[in-house]
Amino acid sequence: MQKVLVIGYVWPEPRSSAAGSRMIELLELFCAQGWQVSFACAAALSEHRADLRELGVPEVSIALNCDSFDAYVAELQPDLVLFDRFFTEEQFAWRVERACPTALRVLDTSDQHSLREARQQLLKSAQQACASEAEKHQLTAVQASPEQLFAAMATSDSAQREIAAIYRSDLTLMISEFEMQLLQGQFGVPAALLHHCALMLIPPATACLEFEQRAHFISIGNFRHAPNWDAVLWLKHALWPLIRQRLPQAQLHVYGAYPPPKATALHNTRQGFHVLGWVDDAHRVMSQARVCLAPLRFGAGIKGKLADAMACGTPSVTTAIGSEGMCGELPWGGAVVEDPQTFADASVRLYQDRERWLLAQQRGSAILARRFQRGALGEALIARLQQLDAEREVHRQQNFVGAMLRHHQHKSTQYMSQWIAAKNRATRS
């Protein structure tokens, strides 16, 4: 392979989200092979986006439902096209296949959108059954089994679209083993279509401070991501008051990109609840905190904030959804709990007990060493892509369901897109 085209759902923001960090990791990996890598995106330029030109990656603005993309990709003739999330595959894969039929089509889910959406809906349903706001704040994280998740997802539009995109692609990169198991066990997706590739973490430049040198709790996450916003609300109304009762001088620093007014309105210095918004160096503030709080009641994928916490030597308290896909059989670097009181108890113990804190830090380092080795993960992905390139025709022949879906689904998507493009041309003329 010589040429790679990455089509982004958004411009990557590695300092705002785990998805942005993952995209940079993939771009750096491809560039390290000596491949010519281009990044194209139809989204508006964002405030905190990375300058990909520093990586030697050309940035190309493209348009939805516009034949100009066909001319661009036909001229580029990439050997591999990576689609950033299934929305992008729906929009552009049929155009890529028509212009470059031999190019490998790889989908990166970042996290399984339909799984996150199903868990969010399960939480909403439970909240709707509550008699008061206070009762809603006492609800624990979603604890649905794979069978229950399948029942919630099977008829959803997003699951059908996302899994169809997985079948249509030559390979899909999955960030979480749990999602791999869910797709294969409950939805029957062939293992040959999936590749597990966790975050390929870049070590922080900031040195880890000792227990005595650290102070305060930290919570961090992009406010535009629904699980993060729910976590902030759960902290504000249920969890932090319990922690503050035990630690009256404790402070919680809440960071994250794009805080809306409803988030900054939660800032209250008397309660020790500080909504600080955007920070340009998450590793720096994470390394200064003593404990990271990540009370995620729904979500999917691997949580970048918790990986960063381990990399910075900061123990964390989270839920089973927060730790999902990260530690395997290894003990968590902190505590994994579900209900408000237990969450508060674990947070206080970790904050006060130096020996417990040091053990949690060591466990976090062990997780990173065993499960997030940048070199090994990158080598495995490149080897899988090269094998797929060599066996492309046989691989595609064995994926009859994918061929069938491309024939039917892409025809309808193609005709709709062409109709929009024709309408736009008529309007301009």
Side-chain angles (χ1 to χ4, degrees):
M1 283 179 284
Q2 296 297 321
K3 292 183 181 180
V4 176
L5 172 62
V6 178
I7 306 179
Y9 176 57
V10 294
W11 297 95
E13 297 187 12
R15 295 182 297 172
S16 299
S17 68
S21 296
R22 176 173 178 77
M23 180 54 69
I24 296 297
E25 292 165 1
L26 291 172
L27 292 173
E28 289 181 339
L29 176 65
F30 296 157
C31 288
Q33 312 311 307
W35 298 345
Q36 299 175 40
V37 184
S38 301
F39 187 92
C41 186
L45 297 178
S46 54
E47 179 183 355
H48 302 305
R49 71 187 185 94
D51 186 353
L52 301 183
R53 293 168 298 183
E54 294 180 355
L55 301 177
V57 176
E59 301 175 339
V60 181
S61 292
I62 54 178
L64 300 175
N65 304 309
C66 184
D67 294 342
S68 61
F69 175 82
D70 300 21
Y72 163 69
V73 76
E75 181 180 356
L76 184 65
Q77 284 295 312
D79 303 298
L80 183 153
V81 179
L82 179 78
F83 301 97
D84 175 22
R85 286 166 271 201
F86 77 90
F87 317 105
T88 305
E89 190 276 344
E90 288 180 331
Q91 286 283 344
F92 294 102
W94 66 270
R95 293 181 180 274
V96 169
E97 184 174 8
R98 188 171 63 173
C100 312
T102 62
L104 289 178
R105 299 181 299 273
V106 179
L107 172 64
D108 183 35
T109 59
S110 189
D111 64 5
Q112 192 176 343
H113 179 91
S114 54
L115 171 60
R116 169 165 37 90
E117 186 179 85
R119 283 171 165 163
Q120 183 177 10
Q121 189 55 50
L122 288 171
L123 178 61
K124 284 184 177 179
S125 297
Q127 290 174 329
Q128 289 169 358
C130 292
S132 65
E133 285 297 314
E135 189 177 338
K136 290 180 182 179
H137 297 317
Q138 293 304 312
L139 289 176
T140 61
V142 173
Q143 300 177 58
S145 67
E147 293 75 19
Q148 291 170 322
L149 290 170
F150 176 77
M153 296 169 65
T155 58
S156 76
D157 175 75
S158 61
Q160 292 178 8
R161 290 170 57 194
E162 188 167 31
I163 294 171
I166 290 171
Y167 269 103
R168 288 192 298 263
S169 302
D170 292 315
L171 189 69
T172 295
L173 309 184
M174 304 300 300
I175 203 167
S176 163
E177 291 166 324
F178 177 84
E179 294 171 9
M180 294 265 293
Q181 294 162 4
L182 182 68
L183 287 172
Q184 293 177 70
Q186 270 58 52
F187 290 92
V189 176
L193 297 180
L194 305 174
H195 178 77
H196 177 239
C197 182
L199 291 174
M200 296 174 282
L201 296 175
I202 303 170
T206 307
C208 290
L209 299 178
E210 299 296 328
F211 176 85
E212 293 81 7
Q213 296 173 299
R214 298 173 180 243
H216 311 313
F217 293 87
I218 186 174
S219 182
I220 191 166
N222 191 318
F223 281 92
R224 289 179 177 174
H225 193 52
N228 293 336
W229 173 235
D230 178 75
V232 171
L233 291 175
W234 202 27
L235 275 167
K236 174 70 174 182
H237 297 295
L239 308 177
W240 184 245
L242 294 174
I243 296 172
R244 184 80 167 179
Q245 285 177 6
R246 304 265 296 277
L247 299 172
Q249 303 305 313
Q251 307 290 312
L252 172 61
H253 296 167
V254 182
Y255 296 96
Y258 305 109
K262 63 182 179 180
T264 54
L266 300 178
H267 181 87
N268 189 314
T269 55
R270 293 182 61 187
Q271 297 173 352
F273 196 92
H274 304 268
V275 180
L276 302 175
W278 163 260
V279 61
D280 61 354
D281 187 348
H283 284 158
R284 175 180 57 81
V285 294
M286 183 68 77
S287 296
Q288 294 170 348
R290 188 174 290 180
V291 177
C292 174
L293 304 181
L296 296 161
R297 292 196 286 185
F298 65 93
I302 284 180
K303 315 309 178 293
K305 62 179 72 62
L306 292 172
D308 286 342
M310 287 185 266
C312 294
T314 308
S316 60
V317 183
T318 188
T319 62
I321 286 177
S323 66
E324 184 177 272
M326 297 193 71
C327 60
E329 299 300 319
L330 298 174
W332 185 251
V336 177
V337 296
E338 303 304 326
D339 65 274
Q341 189 60 60
T342 308
F343 191 99
D345 291 343
S347 301
V348 171
R349 285 196 299 269
L350 199 55
Y351 192 85
Q352 292 182 315
D353 189 332
R354 183 178 186 275
E355 296 306 314
R356 184 186 297 270
W357 187 89
L358 289 172
L359 177 60
Q361 187 183 69
Q362 293 166 8
R363 288 175 170 174
S365 297
I367 292 170
L368 291 182
R370 290 275 296 276
R371 297 178 58 83
F372 293 90
Q373 288 190 8
R374 185 176 176 85
L377 291 167
E379 289 174 7
L381 175 56
I382 296 301
R384 182 71 183 274
L385 292 174
Q386 291 174 335
Q387 179 187 18
L388 188 61
D389 186 44
E391 302 172 354
R392 177 177 54 248
E393 295 308 316
V394 174
H395 177 82
R396 288 178 174 175
Q397 198 172 55
Q398 293 174 344
N399 182 18
F400 177 77
V401 172
M404 179 177 61
L405 287 170
R406 289 200 309 277
H407 175 78
H408 291 286
Q409 178 67 22
H410 274 182
K411 289 297 182 185
S412 60
T413 304
Q414 173 185 339
Y415 295 150
M416 175 59 75
S417 182
Q418 289 176 330
W419 178 82
I420 294 171
K423 182 180 178 183
N424 290 340
R425 284 195 300 270
T427 301
R428 288 194 296 269
S429 61

